[in-house]
Amino acid sequence: AQTRGFIIELAVQLLPEARSDDEAATMVAHELAHNILGHWQRNVAAGRSYLVTRRNEREADRMAPWLMANAGYDPAAAPRFFAQWGPRHSGGITRSPTHDSWQDRVTAIQAELPALAAARAGGQLADWRQRFPGQMAE
């Protein structure tokens, strides 16, 4: 899966990796987070620095469950997806300097869930702008 600022591309081989619609939403939400947060533009401005890219990947991982929850998907599916996907794909991007290990990704996403639950108290939409201030794409 990837995005270049506007269009999200998912390889057809990736979708069967998800065991549910909620887990498939993880992939889409992660890429959508990149677009919302202006990561493509930030990467280009930084000369495609792996450090900037890694920070952007971490932000997209953390933001994905917020977007999932607001779209009606189970945000707890995000860490489940990476926990089942990661061990089967322990090479590739999971060994890249631009992406954290699948274990670290699971931990980071799980750490977002309590803040997300608090933001949704009372049945409201989760305002992710409070968690990711000043980072939206223009």
Side-chain angles (χ1 to χ4, degrees), residues 49-60:
S49 159
Y50 79 90
L51 292 174
V52 171
T53 301
R54 189 172 196 143
R55 185 185 74 216
N56 292 345
E57 289 300 327
R58 288 175 177 156
E59 287 177 345

Side-chain angles (χ1 to χ4, degrees), residues 96-111:
S96 166
T98 61
H99 289 73
D100 288 329
S101 70
W102 68 265
Q103 298 98 328
D104 289 342
R105 295 176 86 177
V106 167
T107 299
I109 296 167
Q110 286 174 328

Side-chain angles (χ1 to χ4, degrees), residues 1-131:
Q2 68 178 4
T3 185
R4 290 197 173 104
F6 300 101
I7 297 172
I8 294 172
E9 298 172 339
L10 294 174
V12 294
Q13 299 89 342
L14 189 56
L15 290 176
E17 296 283 340
R19 296 178 295 188
S20 67
D21 288 348
D22 292 314
E23 288 187 4
T26 301
M27 295 177 263
V28 175
H30 174 92
E31 297 304 325
L32 184 58
H34 283 306
N35 287 351
I36 292 168
L37 295 170
H39 287 166
W40 174 258
Q41 297 86 341
R42 193 184 299 167
N43 286 347
V44 170
R48 311 266 322 146
S49 159
Y50 79 90
L51 292 174
V52 171
T53 301
R54 189 172 196 143
R55 185 185 74 216
N56 292 345
E57 289 300 327
R58 288 175 177 156
E59 287 177 345
D61 281 347
R62 290 179 41 238
M63 185 183 205
W66 292 76
L67 299 177
M68 292 168 64
N70 286 343
Y73 294 97
D74 177 10
R80 283 196 312 265
F81 171 75
F82 282 108
Q84 61 92 19
W85 179 83
R88 290 197 314 270
H89 301 278
S90 60
I93 65 166
T94 61
R95 297 187 134 199
S96 166
T98 61
H99 289 73
D100 288 329
S101 70
W102 68 265
Q103 298 98 328
D104 289 342
R105 295 176 86 177
V106 167
T107 299
I109 296 167
Q110 286 174 328
E112 282 299 313
L113 297 180
L116 173 57
R120 294 180 71 200
Q124 299 177 9
L125 290 178
D127 187 356
W128 52 264
R129 293 173 298 179
Q130 300 301 315
R131 194 78 168 168

